[in-house]
Amino acid sequence: MSLRTKRGSHQGRGLYGGRSAGFSSRSAGSFSGPRASSSSLGIGAPIRAVSINPNLLTPLNVGIDPNIQVIRTQEKDDIKGLNNRFASVIDKVRNLEQQNKLLETKWKLLTQQSNDKSKLEPMLKTHIVNLQRQLDMITNDKDRLCQENNVMHSHVDDYKNQYEEEINKRNGAENDFVLLKKDVDAGYLTRVDLEHKVDGLNDEIHFLGGFYDRETHELRDTLKDTTVVVQMDNARGLNMDQIVAEVKVQYEDIATRSRAEAEVAYKTKFDNMATQADEYSGELRHTKSEIAEHTRLINRLQNEIFVVKAQESSLEKQVSDREDQGEQATKEANLRIRDLEQALQRAKQDMARQLREYQELMNIKLALDIEISTYSKLLEGEEDRIGQQAVVSIQTLATKRQYTGVTENNETSKQDRSPAIVVKKPENVLFVLDTVDLYKHPLDRSVHTLCSDPSMPTTMSTLVSSLLHGTLLNGATFLVATRPTEGLKFLEGFKVELLGFSKPQREAYFGQFFPDPHVANIAWQNMERTLARIGISYQGLGLLDCVALNYIVECLGGMEQLNLYSEKNLTEEGTDILIPAMGLSQKIMLSQCSLRAGSVAHLARALREGITKELDLSYTYLGDENLKILCSGLRACKLQKLIIPSCRLTEACCGDLSSVLTSSTSQLCVLDLTFNELGDQGLTQLCHALQSPSCKLQELQLQHCQLTAGSMEALSSALCCGQSELRVLGLTQNTIGDIGAEHLAQALQYPHCNLQRLTLFDTELTGRCCPSLATVLRSDHCSLVDLDLSVNELGPEGALQLCKALRKPDCPLEKLCLTRCELTRVVFTEFGLLLRSGSSRLKSLSLALNPVGDEGMKDLWKAIADPCCLLEDLSIEMTALTDASSGDLCAALRASRSLKSLDLSNNSLSDASVAALVQVVQDSPFLQEVNLKYNDLSDDAFEIMDQCGKIRY
């Protein structure tokens, strides 16, 4: 082949080896012109003796480029320059290798220096041994306390059983009371009948007596003038001596008998007195011996107390000395630790700096190695690359093959034409892009420089973004499958939302999830059964049930409430499976469940990673240790309400709860610790948390938590510190007493106290605390809206003081409960005047279990009928009401414009009052509910009350 032919052939293929177009970039090689060889020109062949043709003397046009020499010279100069640069690069590499060896030597020296043993290690080991000994002692104390705790828990269980028995007895007593009340009413009616009969008989007796007196008087008047003649025989002789002798004998006989009887009586009395004297002497001797014994016991106890006080003072002194020594040792250890940490930090910084320098040198060395290798390949392959075909490769080759179906092959001419077809007719191309939401790179056009040239080299993310935004292959069709994301809102066109699986799809899903078809069928059937149980309890969940339930919740995208009430089979594996479901639930119900430490850990993880806002763990017997595990998830979660009554918690858990409340990431607003033995120490720890600016707690329930007046001072300090956001506080059934109530009253008068609802139900209060509470209600800074003082012996004097305080026009109190507070008719009259005054804001009032009768309620009925009364809810259960008050009651309800709810249960209303009361309730547009339970009503009255839906019976 001649040089001209070879050149023409090379130009015919073009730069891309015969391709017309495609997704390509520049060739990685270089192109240079062909060389001319002497053999192709025929120079150097032997000359034969032939005739010379003059035409041969003319120069031949061999098509050699006149600039070929210039190009060759330039190539030689380039090669010389590359050689010089290569030599300089080799020198740099040698210098870097020398520096690398020097750094390795320094590194070995530093490593040897760091391996030298510190003199502080024995001291630290000794300290560690002492701490380990203390830890063992604390562990032993912990075991002992755990045993005592178990004993106390057993006592608590016994008390709980006794409490339940007492509740059952109380219910039985209430039923007996109802029966006795009916018997008493029947007896009362019988008594009234008998009294009426007695009155009738007395009237009859008086009439007959008068009639008899009148008849006697008339007979006397008739016999007044009648003369009676009596004949007497005076001739009889009298023997006076004999009569006197007989009388004397009789009197002597009487005197003798009287003397004998007196002697017998006095002798008997003397014997009795002697017996009593002996008994009193014995009792006196016994009392003297007891006094002597008690005196000896008192002396011995005084001596023991003196010895114990001496030991106590000695131990306190020793403890103080040990604390001082421990604090000094701790300070010294902290200083040493701080010095060691600083030295360690400096060593780490030096090491990091040296590592960075070493890494930089290694990067430079690697870059130079790559550059040397590149230049070596360029130098070695320069001759081979001249004239050869360039192979095109871009980063988007895999994507192009995946979405267009084009397979690139340099040896197949038919497939080489596919990119040209794609470019010329993009409207015939369909791109299918699945799970685009998992694509990690951004697709926003503001991030990339979009391309429109298919042959331009570019990155994968720019290529995909250009295709989706339409700058590349405009007109092509795209089918995009993705979850809704913010980064894909720019996509336009038809959209189809797939909201879930159909029943066959669910069956197919479980068939793919479980390798065993039998297990897959069981799981699918459990899931189908669970579909109808969303929002109710799932008692008896197995592992397959947990898988099905978790799948449903994930398909739904979340649940309002996940109810696992009384789930006794919730294992650690099941809880682990339900972590996503619990994390997607707004409220989790785990009341009366059996939870172990592993399950609690999974629950903490679900809370930490999920969106749960309310958690109910009541009656789970969680214990302090499990609560500590749970608190690890409560410190950084979205939980707002935690309900943990009757969970066997003690004061030991209050430290963990305090750390949760003081965490800046905690959202806890409501905490219910009812029926847990926290004690005063536990509440004191919680009070420290309430004073933290990070604490967001607004409601705290502490019913029956073994609290006394000793912790009320700390609670008062927390309420008035200015940092507490507490709005609701429940202290029901704690022995707070009047002193504790006075501490709370001091806090309630403080300007920064935000408490609005306070419950002091059955807290052993008396009338002596009412002046302090009245001062609170009269205070300008009082924010109380709801106050419950039920089941306390306040008495009429204390209640009257509260009434006077409520007369203050700007008193904010709207709800007051005084159930069973020993109130009298005077108090009810005062409340009636208060409600009619127009200055009170009371909307809810409970005066139940204060038996004042019909007369005591009259002033209250007048107040309800008054237009100034704002009362909406009134409870007068068991106040001894009868049918005599029915007229006043109906008139008050008919005139009231504010009352919505009325509780008349456990009174003596009978069928005679029902018809009028039902009519009034039906006609009232304001009254919404009337409670008539446990009154003296018959079945006929029940049928009448059925006509009115507002009455409960």
Side-chain angles (χ1 to χ4, degrees):
M1 180 185 291
S2 65
L3 182 62
R4 183 184 300 274
T5 306
K6 183 178 180 181
R7 180 180 178 185
S9 174
H10 184 74
Q11 291 176 349
R13 289 182 59 86
L15 182 62
Y16 301 106
R19 296 180 188 176
S20 60
F23 295 91
S24 62
S25 63
R26 299 183 183 90
S27 173
S30 61
F31 178 81
S32 61
R35 299 179 181 179
S37 62
S38 58
S39 60
S40 63
L41 299 175
I43 300 175
I47 301 174
R48 298 179 181 180
V50 293
S51 61
I52 298 173
N53 188 357
N55 294 328
L56 296 175
L57 298 177
T58 59
L60 295 173
N61 186 11
V62 295
I64 299 176
D65 191 355
N67 297 325
I68 188 67
Q69 191 63 30
V70 177
I71 295 172
R72 293 286 179 85
T73 303
Q74 185 177 359
E75 288 180 353
K76 289 180 180 180
D77 294 338
D78 293 339
I79 291 172
K80 288 179 181 180
L82 291 173
N83 289 332
N84 294 333
R85 291 178 63 186
F86 180 69
S88 63
V89 167
I90 290 175
D91 293 337
K92 290 181 181 179
V93 170
R94 290 175 180 174
N95 293 330
L96 291 173
E97 289 177 351
Q98 292 176 358
Q99 293 178 4
N100 188 18
K101 291 180 179 179
L102 180 61
L103 290 173
E104 288 178 354
T105 304
K106 290 182 179 180
W107 174 256
K108 290 179 180 178
L109 291 174
L110 291 173
T111 305
Q112 293 176 359
Q113 291 177 0
S114 62
N115 291 331
D116 294 339
K117 293 186 178 180
S118 174
K119 297 179 180 180
L120 299 175
E121 185 176 359
M123 185 181 298
L124 293 175
K125 287 184 178 179
T126 304
H127 185 61
I128 290 171
V129 171
N130 294 331
L131 293 176
Q132 186 65 35
R133 190 180 299 109
Q134 296 178 6
L135 179 62
D136 295 336
M137 295 174 63
I138 293 172
T139 304
N140 295 331
D141 293 339
K142 178 185 176 182
D143 296 336
R144 178 176 55 81
L145 292 174
C146 286
Q147 294 177 359
E148 295 178 357
N149 188 21
N150 294 331
V151 174
M152 292 303 296
H153 279 310
S154 63
H155 291 332
V156 169
D157 293 336
D158 295 338
Y159 291 147
K160 183 178 179 181
N161 295 331
Q162 293 177 5
Y163 175 75
E164 292 177 352
E165 292 176 359
E166 292 298 331
I167 289 294
N168 295 330
K169 290 180 181 179
R170 178 177 177 271
N171 295 331
E174 288 180 353
N175 296 330
D176 296 339
F177 172 75
V178 174
L179 297 176
L180 289 174
K181 187 177 179 183
K182 292 182 178 180
D183 295 338
V184 168
D185 293 338
Y188 178 74
L189 295 175
T190 305
R191 176 190 170 189
V192 171
D193 294 337
L194 293 175
E195 287 178 352
H196 288 306
K197 290 180 180 180
V198 169
D199 293 337
L201 292 174
N202 288 330
D203 294 338
E204 187 177 357
I205 289 170
H206 289 306
F207 172 74
L208 293 176
F211 181 78
Y212 174 75
D213 292 337
R214 183 64 180 174
E215 186 177 7
T216 303
H217 182 68
E218 289 179 356
L219 288 173
R220 285 177 180 175
D221 292 340
T222 304
L223 298 174
K224 184 185 299 182
D225 298 330
T226 303
T227 301
V228 179
V229 179
V230 179
Q231 293 181 359
M232 297 179 62
D233 186 8
N234 293 326
R236 187 180 55 180
L238 296 175
N239 189 356
M240 296 303 297
D241 294 333
Q242 185 179 359
I243 294 172
V244 170
E246 292 177 358
V247 171
K248 184 177 179 180
V249 170
Q250 292 177 1
Y251 277 109
E252 287 178 355
D253 187 24
I254 292 172
T256 302
R257 288 198 305 270
S258 298
R259 188 181 297 109
E261 291 176 358
E263 288 177 357
V264 172
Y266 280 112
K267 185 178 181 181
T268 305
K269 187 175 182 181
F270 179 77
D271 294 338
N272 293 334
M273 292 177 66
T275 305
Q276 291 178 358
D278 294 336
E279 292 177 357
Y280 291 153
S281 298
E283 291 179 358
L284 180 61
R285 287 193 300 272
H286 181 66
T287 304
K288 288 182 179 179
S289 63
E290 287 183 352
I291 291 172
E293 182 66 25
H294 286 307
T295 304
R296 288 193 298 272
L297 181 60
I298 289 170
N299 294 329
R300 184 171 59 82
L301 290 176
Q302 287 178 348
N303 294 331
E304 291 180 357
I305 290 170
F306 180 76
V307 174
V308 170
K309 286 183 178 179
Q311 292 178 356
E312 182 183 4
S313 60
S314 176
L315 290 174
E316 288 179 352
K317 185 177 180 181
Q318 292 179 6
V319 169
S320 178
D321 295 339
R322 293 294 184 274
E323 288 179 352
D324 295 337
Q325 294 176 3
E327 290 178 357
Q328 187 66 26
T330 303
K331 291 179 180 178
E332 293 177 358
N334 289 332
L335 292 175
R336 292 172 184 171
I337 290 172
R338 191 178 298 112
D339 295 337
L340 291 174
E341 288 179 349
Q342 292 176 358
L344 179 62
Q345 188 66 26
R346 288 194 297 270
K348 287 182 178 179
Q349 292 176 356
D350 294 339
M351 185 183 298
R353 179 176 53 79
Q354 293 173 2
L355 286 174
R356 284 196 300 270
E357 293 177 355
Y358 179 76
Q359 187 65 33
E360 291 175 357
L361 292 175
M362 291 301 296
N363 292 334
I364 294 173
K365 180 178 180 297
L366 181 62
L368 292 175
D369 290 341
I370 294 173
E371 189 174 357
I372 291 170
S373 175
T374 303
Y375 284 126
S376 299
K377 290 181 180 179
L378 288 173
L379 292 172
E380 292 173 359
E382 184 67 22
E383 295 294 335
D384 296 335
R385 286 196 298 270
I386 296 174
Q388 293 182 358
Q389 179 183 359
V391 180
V392 181
S393 175
I394 63 174
Q395 295 179 355
T396 58
L397 181 60
T399 303
K400 182 170 61 178
R401 291 174 180 173
Q402 180 179 357
Y403 294 124
T404 62
V406 178
T407 304
E408 194 171 337
N409 190 342
N410 294 332
E411 297 178 358
T412 306
S413 60
K414 292 182 180 180
Q415 294 178 350
D416 288 343
R417 298 176 184 176
S418 298
I421 298 174
V422 171
V423 173
K424 290 181 180 179
K425 296 182 178 181
E427 61 274 6
N428 296 333
V429 179
L430 172 64
F431 289 89
V432 180
L433 306 180
D434 194 9
T435 62
V436 180
D437 55 294
L438 301 180
Y439 188 63
K440 298 181 180 180
H441 300 285
L443 298 174
D444 192 357
R445 64 187 308 159
S446 62
V447 180
H448 304 281
T449 302
L450 303 181
C451 66
S452 57
D453 186 6
S455 62
M456 183 177 68
T458 183
T459 61
M460 170 69 78
S461 58
T462 304
L463 175 64
V464 176
S465 182
S466 301
L467 287 171
L468 291 176
H469 283 284
T471 59
L472 184 65
L473 297 183
N474 188 13
T477 304
F478 292 84
L479 177 60
V480 180
T482 177
R483 291 179 179 270
T485 57
E486 293 291 332
L488 297 175
K489 288 187 175 181
F490 64 88
L491 294 177
E492 298 179 354
F494 293 101
K495 296 181 180 180
V496 178
E497 295 184 2
L498 301 178
L499 300 179
F501 287 171
S502 62
K503 188 172 181 179
Q505 289 172 333
R506 292 195 295 269
E507 185 177 5
Y509 173 84
F510 278 93
Q512 296 175 0
F513 189 84
F514 294 97
D516 189 353
H518 179 66
V519 176
N521 185 41
I522 295 175
W524 173 70
Q525 291 178 357
N526 287 333
M527 185 272 296
E528 293 297 325
R529 288 196 303 269
T530 310
L531 278 175
R533 300 194 297 175
I534 299 297
I536 64 172
S537 178
Y538 308 92
Q539 297 182 12
L541 285 178
L543 290 179
L544 296 179
D545 298 317
C546 293
V547 172
L549 177 59
N550 184 70
Y551 166 73
I552 292 172
V553 175
E554 286 186 323
C555 290
L556 294 174
M559 286 185 65
E560 183 69 24
Q561 175 177 313
L562 180 63
N563 192 349
L564 300 176
Y565 171 80
S566 190
E567 181 57 53
K568 305 300 182 184
N569 195 28
L570 193 59
T571 61
E572 181 177 350
E573 293 81 3
T575 314
D576 188 15
I577 294 172
L578 288 174
I579 287 178
M582 290 189 290
L584 291 171
S585 301
Q586 296 285 338
K587 180 179 179 181
I588 301 177
M589 294 284 293
L590 292 172
S591 180
Q592 298 186 15
C593 288
S594 299
L595 297 178
R596 298 179 181 143
S599 301
V600 176
H602 295 316
L603 176 60
R605 176 187 166 193
L607 295 175
R608 188 168 50 249
E609 299 175 356
I611 61 172
T612 304
K613 294 183 179 180
E614 182 176 347
L615 175 62
D616 187 353
L617 293 172
S618 55
Y619 303 98
T620 55
Y621 304 125
L622 195 63
D624 297 333
E625 295 298 327
N626 287 336
L627 182 64
K628 185 175 183 179
I629 299 173
L630 182 64
C631 288
S632 62
L634 296 177
R635 294 186 182 93
C637 67
K638 298 180 176 61
L639 194 71
Q640 297 179 1
K641 185 174 182 180
L642 177 61
I643 305 174
I644 45 177
S646 297
C647 289
R648 293 182 178 176
L649 303 180
T650 64
E651 63 182 46
C653 73
C654 294
D656 299 316
L657 290 174
S658 299
S659 65
V660 172
L661 295 175
T662 55
S663 174
S664 59
T665 55
S666 174
Q667 304 293 327
L668 197 61
C669 298
V670 179
L671 180 60
D672 189 350
L673 294 169
T674 301
F675 290 103
N676 288 297
E677 297 181 358
L678 304 182
D680 292 334
Q681 296 296 329
L683 179 56
T684 303
Q685 296 183 45
L686 292 177
C687 290
H688 292 316
L690 291 175
Q691 300 180 27
S692 172
S694 302
C695 182
K696 304 177 182 64
L697 196 65
Q698 296 183 5
E699 180 176 349
L700 180 60
Q701 295 294 337
L702 297 172
Q703 179 180 354
H704 204 286
C705 290
Q706 307 295 331
L707 305 180
T708 65
S711 58
M712 292 301 105
E713 187 174 0
L715 181 58
S716 176
S717 301
L719 292 175
C720 61
C721 68
Q723 302 291 342
S724 174
E725 298 182 6
L726 200 63
R727 302 289 191 277
V728 181
L729 177 61
L731 298 173
T732 299
Q733 294 180 342
N734 288 291
T735 56
I736 293 173
D738 297 331
I739 298 176
E742 290 176 358
H743 286 306
L744 292 175
Q746 293 175 2
L748 293 172
Q749 300 176 47
Y750 200 78
H752 297 291
C753 181
N754 299 317
L755 200 64
Q756 297 178 356
R757 292 177 56 191
L758 177 60
T759 303
L760 296 176
F761 182 97
D762 192 13
T763 51
E764 298 188 3
L765 303 182
T766 65
R768 286 177 291 181
C769 72
C770 291
S772 302
L773 296 175
T775 305
V776 172
L777 297 177
R778 282 192 291 264
S779 173
D780 294 333
H781 305 295
C782 176
S783 58
L784 270 184
V785 179
D786 186 350
L787 179 60
D788 189 353
L789 299 172
S790 300
V791 196
N792 289 295
E793 297 179 358
L794 302 183
E797 294 81 6
L800 288 175
Q801 292 181 358
L802 295 177
C803 288
K804 293 178 181 179
L806 290 172
R807 285 183 175 274
K808 189 173 182 291
D810 55 349
C811 179
L813 197 67
E814 296 181 356
K815 183 177 181 180
L816 179 61
C817 293
L818 296 175
T819 302
R820 213 191 78 182
C821 288
E822 299 183 359
L823 307 183
T824 61
R825 178 181 175 182
V826 178
V827 178
F828 278 68
T829 301
E830 188 65 26
F831 270 109
L833 297 175
L834 172 66
L835 295 174
R836 281 187 290 175
S837 64
S839 60
S840 173
R841 299 183 184 178
L842 276 180
K843 295 183 179 180
S844 178
L845 179 62
S846 177
L847 300 174
L849 279 76
N850 293 292
V852 295
D854 299 327
E855 294 296 326
M857 289 297 301
K858 284 187 176 180
D859 294 303
L860 206 55
W861 298 138
K862 294 178 183 179
I864 292 174
D866 195 278
C868 296
C869 179
L870 303 177
L871 203 62
E872 297 178 356
D873 186 359
L874 176 62
S875 176
I876 49 174
E877 177 185 1
M878 203 176 290
T879 51
L881 289 181
T882 65
D883 294 333
S885 63
S886 176
D888 297 333
L889 171 60
C890 292
L893 296 180
R894 193 177 294 110
S896 175
R897 294 294 180 270
S898 61
L899 195 65
K900 297 179 180 179
S901 176
L902 178 62
D903 188 358
L904 297 170
S905 57
N906 276 312
N907 283 291
S908 300
L909 298 176
S910 65
D911 297 356
S913 305
V914 171
L917 192 59
V918 169
Q919 186 64 40
V920 171
V921 174
Q922 283 181 335
D923 295 341
S924 175
F926 306 100
L927 203 59
Q928 298 177 1
E929 180 179 312
V930 176
N931 189 352
L932 290 174
K933 289 184 177 180
Y934 310 118
N935 279 278
D936 298 335
L937 304 177
S938 64
D939 294 338
D940 296 335
F942 294 156
E943 293 179 0
I944 297 174
M945 289 187 291
D946 284 337
Q947 302 173 5
C948 181
K950 299 179 183 179
I951 297 181
R952 294 171 53 198
Y953 59 88

